[in-house]
Structure formats: structure tokens, C-alpha cells
Amino acid sequence: MTLASIAVRNVWRNRFRALMTVLGVAVAVMAFVMLRTVITATNVAVTYAAQDRVATRHKVSFIMQLPRRYIDTVRAVPGVRVATWANWFGAKEPRHPNDFFASMAVDTDSFFEVYPEMSVAPADLARWREDRRGAIVGDVLANKMGWHQGDRVVLRGTIYPGDWEFTVDGIYRATQRSVDRSQFIFHYRYLNDSLPAARRDQIGWMLARIGDPSQSGAISRAIDAAFDVQDVQTTSMSERAMNLSFMGMMSGLFTAIDVISLVILGILGLLLGNTVAMGVRERTQEYGVLRALGFLPKHVTGFIMAEAAALGAFAGLAGLALSYPVVQQGLGRWIEENQGATIPYFRIEPATLALAFSLAVALSMLAAALPAWRASRLTVTEALRRLD
Amino acid sequence: MTTAYREPEKGDPLVRLQRVVKTFHRGSEDLTVLDGLDFEIPTGSFEALMGPSGSGKSTLLNLIAGLDRPTAGKVLVAGNDLGAMNDGQLAAFRARHLGFIFQSYNLMPVLTAAENVELPLLLTRLPSAERKKRALIALRVVGLEDRVNHYPKQLSGGQEQRVAIARAIVNDPTILVADEPTGDLDRKSADAILDLLVRLNTEFKKTIVMVTHDPAAAERASVIRRMNKGVLQ
């Protein structure tokens, strides 16, 4: 038996109050974990962005298109190993009109060479390349829609109106966290051949894999320089820089999340502080007895702080236990299935768990500091007289 | 802690108060409870302090127990001037020389009887096994060897007070101070507690100072002192 072990037992003296505090703090910890995971999950795209990939788009806006012939110029730029293009299709599955997923028309010969982290079985890939109406879909999307290889699928176009018929030739899987596993990839030729002559041979953006990632800046400049004298100019940047600029657009959202996180920490501190302060007040006479027996003020302080740390630890662990099913299994799965284009990987990082747990313990001890200091400053007779 | 404690020698008064003044500050007013009190308690005595509320008996008990300091004068216990000690020295003195028995027992509800008794020994360097052994001996002395693993809420009031007495004697103190030890008990339980105190005094030679309002309890002491307005009569 030690004072610390007694302090741990003291946490559960008022079981109902302790349970309510633990649950309250657990919910706050879970909310904190959720918000931090939004930030870390959004950063995944930057963290895992290929450094050897350069993206090129219309200089004015993402939504404006480029002539398809530009790809030949990009492929000729020194340092570019392979280049591909894609076009945003923006279709819906008629039975699930509210479910969003990315659908893109791509160059079948080069697309998966530029995206090696999207893994497709070679036989499926070969079949798809020969099938003009073939599609490769992500495993998460296939599971969600109940699609299997060989299934006939009809999508309804939003940018390109009408019902478009496809055959699922293969399922891709992710070998890296940053991959959106809910994409629908099909032949650019199928789209292009179906368009009126005036709308043909336009592409959304180009992507080039380069030999030396350190040269991404120079190669980006070289690509843009090649189109400077053309009617349509381009903006090129490494995939990481592109993702960072996208993140920069969301900086306001991240600031708001940080502020909400601080508010949650404040609530957490107040909850713990209230419980600790009530406990200290109720037990002042006991601290007086301890002092009478020969314990020093520092023992009383340590006793209270240990109890607060134990309360914070119980609450923190409860919060983590709550976070896993709610944030990771519940919300995380939903986000990966429905918002994969923005947040393809929504999982709780171990660092987030460690931070949430540490904050629960630290805030509990911080909240206990003042009551502990006050209790330790009472004289023995004052403490013994309390609640007498 | 460098203070060397001197054990009382045979014939020494264990407690000696010399011209002790104790004044409390209540806002802008000063209230003098003890005013030049001289008082001695011989080693091995069992003394009862009686008197009306506000007469100063609890103040006197707190001074003897080293829980409070005199405003003026000297409080000597076992030859040591308590007023000259700092807080740390006083705490160490209490841990070594004092055993406390409170009216409302003041046991920790989360600890078993044995653990409550072991509590003061946490301040010693005794190994855990030795602490447990001594706690069991103390519980045996008070007749609760069959209640060692019971929590306070599982004990009667009289049993709780006996656990508190075991806690008071576990470190073999020089003096036991008891503040209304039978105040919360029925007559039968109170008599059992008083029997135990008498036994601790006669058989274990413990010096006991007991504050009480109960004449029947005071009758069990070897000396009864009455206080009124800070003066011993």
C-alpha cells in the first residue's frame, strides 16, 4: 500500500460522480480525437503525395480544359519518364443519387503507370485495355455498390448527360494510404468518341512521373514554358505542392477546428476541475488526519495530484475506448466510403491517441493544482475542523 | 531533520506547559483562550480534561499534540520544546510520539481495517511485510483480529473506534491524545472503548490525555482536570 494506490482507490469513492465525470471527459476526449483525426487525415494526402509526380492544369482554373495534344509536349520535356491525362466525368449511380464518388475518363495505356499505388491484377488490366466500355473501380466503391467483376453498370452523367454503360473489368486496391478507394476509372476514348466534334480532344489535367523528384520545380517550369506561347497556358507543380495549395485553401477550416479543439480541452478541464475540487472539499478533514499522523503538506499535495492523475487516466482511457468504435469504425468508414476523394484514409493516428490521453491526465492534474495547493496550506487544526 | 528527540526519563513529567498563552485572531478581535497556563502530566498518567464548550480544553489538547503552537510560553513534550520546532520537525514528532483518537474515528473508507492501521507506518522505512505484521498486532491488541479485511462501513461505531485506536498505537507512541473518543458511541460501546484505554494505560503503560464531556468516561481516568475559561481547576 502506498499513498498513490490509496489515491487511485479514492477516485471511485463517489461512484456516480466519478462515472459521470469519466463519461463526460470520455466524450470530450472522443470529440478531440475526432477533430485531430480530421486534420491528420486531411494531411495524409500531403504526407503521402508522390514527390515524383508533376500535375499540370489550365492556368486559369481546374475546371477549364486543355487540348489533348499537350500531352505529347509534356512527354517530350526532359526528365519526364511517363505522362498521362484524365478528365473529370462526374457521374452518379442512379440507384444511389446522393452518393458521391470520383469518376474519370483516363488514358488506358499510361494511367496506371503514373499511379502505381493503385494496384490492379495484370490480367484485369489487360482485359480492361481491350474493352472500350470497361471500367476499373476501387474496392471500397465496389463493396458499397455491390459491384463485382463482369457486372454491367450504368452511370448517369451530370457534366456529360445521359446513361453511360460500363462493364466492371477489374477492382483496384490501394498500396498507399493516400489513394481514394472509391474511384471509377474508364476509357477516355469511350467518352471522347461519344462527344460532338466541337467538344472532343479536351482533357482535364495531365500528370507526369519524373525521374528525379528534386527536379520537380525545374520540370514544372519547363512544362509551363512550353505552353507560354500557346493560347491556353498551364500551371504545373509537384503533386505535393498541389495538395499543399489545396490545404492552404482550407486553412480557415483548420483554424476553426483548432479553436473547437481548445474549447473541448477547456470543457474537459472544467469537468475534471469541478470533480477534483468537490472531492478535495469533502475530504479536507481526512487531509487533516493525515497531517496529524505526521504526513507533510507535500504528501497531501501529492495525494490529491495522484488522485487527479488517476481520474484523468481513467477518463482518457475511456475516451480512447470510445474513439475507436465511433471515430475509426463508424465515422472513419463512412468518410472513406463517401468522402474518399477528399479524405481517402480516415484512421486515428497513434500520436493522436497519445496526445488525447496525455492531455486528459495533464489537464486533470492542472485542474487539481489549485485545490491541492489550498489543501496543503491549511493548518492541521483548520483541516480537522472542516465539516466537523 | 536534525532534531534529536530526548526520551522521557523516569520521574520526568511527560508533558510540561510553562506560562502558555494561546490567542486566536478573529477578524479584528483577539481571543485569548489560554492565558499563562502552567500544567504538567506525569509519564504513565491517564488524564481526563473536562469543561464546558469554549473552555480551552481542545486548544490545550492541540498544543500538547503538536497540532498547534502557543502564542507565548513553552510546551514541552518528552523534553522537546514543540514551539521551537518547524512544521516538518513537528510532523516528524507527531509521527513518532503521538497517537490520535478522534471523536468521529476518521478512518479512510477506501481502506480496510488493517490498511487504516498501517497508514501511519507509511511514513517509516519499514518494509511492507513488517508494516502489515505490526498492523495485525495492533488490531489484535484492540480485539479486532477477525475484522482485518473489513471496510469501515462494514464495522459498528465501536469497532471503528477500536480500529482508530489500533491506528493510534501501531507506531508505539509516547502519548495518546483522545478528543471525545466516546462522543459518538452508545453506552455499551463507550464502556468497551474506555476499558481498552484503561488497559493501554495500565498494561502497555501508555500516557493518555483525553478530552471528554462524559462524566462516566472521565471517571475511568486516573486524574480528572476541569477547565473553565482557560484555567485549570
Side-chain angles (χ1 to χ4, degrees):
Chain A
M1 184 178 73
T2 61
L3 277 184
S5 69
I6 301 171
V8 173
R9 289 196 228 176
N10 258 343
V11 170
W12 298 105
R13 263 170 78 165
N14 188 326
R15 282 175 196 273
F16 182 74
R17 187 167 68 207
L19 189 66
M20 288 296 107
T21 304
V22 164
L23 285 178
V25 173
V27 171
V29 165
M30 187 194 71
F32 179 80
V33 167
M34 192 184 293
L35 292 174
R36 299 317 300 176
T37 303
V38 167
I39 292 178
T40 54
T42 315
N43 276 318
V44 161
V46 174
T47 309
Y48 287 91
Q51 295 186 56
D52 65 347
R53 227 160 19 214
V54 169
T56 300
R57 63 166 172 88
H58 195 290
K59 192 171 186 177
V60 176
S61 167
F62 249 123
I63 60 168
M64 297 183 76
Q65 294 191 305
L66 303 167
R68 185 173 63 161
R69 60 186 159 78
Y70 274 25
I71 193 70
D72 298 326
T73 306
V74 170
R75 284 171 173 158
V77 170
V80 172
R81 284 170 49 205
V82 57
T84 192
W85 75 86
N87 208 45
W88 187 259
F89 186 60
K92 300 266 186 185
E93 212 283 344
R95 291 173 304 156
H96 303 93
N98 295 322
D99 288 340
F100 170 84
F101 58 88
S103 52
M104 289 183 292
V106 306
D107 175 35
T108 50
D109 293 333
S110 56
F111 185 79
F112 286 102
E113 279 186 66
V114 175
Y115 283 101
E117 65 269 35
M118 295 167 75
S119 171
V120 188
D124 296 345
L125 196 57
R127 191 183 319 110
W128 174 61
R129 280 175 174 154
E130 297 304 315
D131 179 5
R132 191 169 157 273
R133 293 192 173 192
I136 301 285
V137 299
D139 57 340
V140 169
L141 181 64
N143 281 337
K144 186 178 171 187
M145 298 296 181
W147 293 337
H148 300 94
Q149 198 172 46
D151 282 0
R152 187 179 152 273
V153 169
V154 174
L155 297 186
R156 187 156 296 153
T158 54
I159 301 170
Y160 303 96
D163 285 350
W164 297 72
E165 193 177 313
F166 301 94
T167 303
V168 177
D169 284 329
I171 308 288
Y172 73 82
R173 286 177 174 75
T175 59
Q176 213 171 288
R177 294 177 178 188
S178 58
V179 176
D180 174 6
R181 291 158 64 196
S182 295
Q183 296 182 76
F184 189 99
I185 310 291
F186 66 95
H187 288 228
Y188 175 78
R189 270 181 296 144
Y190 179 32
L191 171 67
N192 197 47
D193 293 349
S194 307
L195 296 175
R199 289 186 68 187
R200 284 184 190 166
D201 295 325
Q202 299 292 307
I203 58 177
W205 62 92
M206 298 179 288
L207 288 142
R209 277 184 81 185
I210 58 176
D212 181 359
S214 69
Q215 293 300 308
S216 64
I219 292 172
S220 297
R221 284 192 294 276
I223 292 172
D224 291 340
F227 302 117
D228 263 354
V229 293
Q230 304 286 330
D231 287 345
V232 175
Q233 281 98 47
T234 59
T235 293
S236 301
M237 60 183 80
S238 71
E239 193 173 79
R240 175 163 290 186
M242 190 169 69
N243 287 341
L244 274 172
S245 80
F246 177 69
M247 295 280 284
M249 286 160 57
M250 298 205 294
S251 63
L253 175 67
F254 292 149
T255 305
I257 289 175
D258 281 337
V259 170
I260 296 169
S261 299
L262 284 174
V263 170
I264 288 171
L265 292 178
I267 294 168
L268 199 146
L270 289 172
L271 272 170
L272 290 163
N274 185 47
T275 300
V276 171
M278 279 197 285
V280 167
R281 179 164 171 72
E282 286 167 4
R283 292 171 208 157
T284 303
Q285 201 178 22
E286 272 180 30
Y287 305 139
V289 173
L290 286 176
R291 294 285 310 280
L293 294 178
F295 289 91
L296 294 166
K298 69 178 181 186
H299 291 124
V300 171
T301 305
F303 193 51
I304 295 169
M305 297 300 277
E307 184 179 335
L311 178 66
F314 283 130
L317 287 174
L320 301 190
L322 203 58
S323 297
Y324 185 75
V326 175
V327 178
Q328 181 129 328
Q329 297 298 314
L331 182 69
R333 284 202 176 164
W334 185 88
I335 285 177
E336 286 181 10
E337 286 175 7
N338 295 282
Q339 301 295 322
T342 348
I343 305 179
Y345 186 86
F346 195 91
R347 310 283 168 89
I348 305 170
E349 293 289 322
T352 302
L353 295 177
L355 178 67
F357 179 77
S358 306
L359 280 171
V361 175
L363 281 171
S364 187
M365 294 179 75
L366 186 67
L370 184 61
W373 179 74
R374 281 184 175 158
S376 71
R377 280 176 60 87
L378 286 172
T379 65
V380 187
T381 49
E382 281 172 338
L384 285 172
R385 261 200 302 273
R386 284 282 175 94
L387 304 178
D388 244 358
Chain B
M1 200 78 56
T2 54
T3 304
Y5 300 110
R6 190 169 70 79
E7 292 298 330
E9 293 170 14
K10 195 173 179 182
D12 272 356
L14 183 63
V15 177
R16 179 182 288 164
L17 276 71
Q18 296 175 337
R19 294 177 297 284
V20 167
V21 176
K22 182 63 190 177
T23 302
F24 292 100
H25 306 287
R26 297 278 184 268
S28 57
E29 283 185 31
D30 285 348
L31 176 67
T32 300
V33 177
L34 303 176
D35 192 6
L37 183 71
D38 288 300
F39 171 52
E40 287 185 355
I41 298 175
T43 304
S45 180
F46 180 3
E47 309 224 351
L49 284 173
M50 296 193 75
S53 295
S55 60
K57 54 188 187 306
S58 290
T59 302
L60 177 59
L61 196 73
N62 288 341
L63 291 173
I64 293 169
L67 299 178
D68 208 349
R69 287 193 174 82
T71 310
K74 281 190 173 183
V75 177
L76 300 157
V77 179
N80 300 282
D81 183 357
L82 304 193
M85 292 181 178
N86 63 31
D87 286 346
Q89 289 169 330
L90 260 185
F93 179 83
R94 289 195 299 270
R96 169 65 193 91
H97 291 276
L98 268 296
F100 291 91
I101 303 164
F102 302 97
Q103 178 177 347
S104 49
Y105 331 128
N106 287 335
L107 301 177
M108 295 195 82
V110 294
L111 302 183
T112 63
E115 289 169 335
N116 265 293
V117 176
E118 188 188 335
L119 192 59
L121 300 179
L122 293 180
L123 288 165
T124 67
R125 295 185 179 193
L126 292 172
S128 174
E130 180 62 22
R131 294 199 309 257
K132 285 181 171 48
K133 187 177 152 194
R134 293 194 184 192
L136 287 177
I137 292 170
L139 281 169
R140 198 172 299 138
V141 168
V142 300
L144 282 180
E145 60 269 39
D146 57 340
R147 294 285 188 273
V148 291
N149 291 319
H150 286 59
Y151 287 90
K153 66 181 177 188
Q154 298 170 312
L155 301 171
S156 68
Q159 287 172 330
E160 280 195 77
Q161 191 61 298
R162 281 199 274 165
V163 174
I165 292 172
R167 182 180 64 186
I169 61 173
V170 73
N171 58 349
D172 191 24
T174 311
I175 183 167
L176 286 173
V177 293
D179 192 356
E180 300 278 8
T182 58
D184 282 0
L185 299 175
D186 57 54
R187 188 69 264 159
K188 189 179 169 194
S189 301
D191 285 341
I193 291 300
L194 291 166
D195 287 344
L196 182 56
L197 291 178
V198 170
R199 188 171 152 234
L200 289 172
N201 176 244
T202 55
E203 194 176 321
F204 293 90
K205 310 297 180 200
K206 292 294 164 200
T207 305
I208 302 174
V209 185
M210 174 177 72
V211 164
T212 183
H213 278 105
D214 178 8
E219 286 298 325
R220 306 295 296 274
S222 49
V223 178
I224 301 175
R225 297 179 191 262
R226 296 182 194 281
M227 282 197 84
N228 195 14
K229 297 181 180 173
V231 177
L232 275 172
Q233 297 167 337

